Amino acid sequence: MTVKCIKKGYDLTVGKQYEVIAVECDGQFYRIIDDSDEDYLHEIKSFEVVKNT
């Protein structure tokens, strides 16, 4: 799944698209590779789905 950041967060860029590696913690967080080039959990409310695969 591809998501677009809509809310500034730690190591996230608003408007940038990220690939979701996993949905975790009862669907409350996406695991993505953020701007630090590491995979971390980020709240789903910081993103909108661009492409759901």
Side-chain angles (χ1 to χ4, degrees), residues 31-43:
R31 181 169 296 280
I32 64 167
I33 297 175
D34 60 21
D35 296 343
S36 70
D37 289 329
E38 298 289 333
D39 65 288
Y40 290 102
L41 293 177
H42 294 277
E43 291 182 292

Side-chain angles (χ1 to χ4, degrees), residues 16-53:
K16 184 174 178 178
Q17 293 184 9
Y18 298 91
E19 192 66 30
V20 175
I21 298 169
V23 179
E24 298 186 23
C25 301
D26 295 325
Q28 305 233 350
F29 291 87
Y30 290 142
R31 181 169 296 280
I32 64 167
I33 297 175
D34 60 21
D35 296 343
S36 70
D37 289 329
E38 298 289 333
D39 65 288
Y40 290 102
L41 293 177
H42 294 277
E43 291 182 292
I44 63 168
K45 66 183 180 182
S46 298
F47 302 92
E48 67 180 24
V49 175
V50 174
K51 183 178 179 186
N52 194 356
T53 54

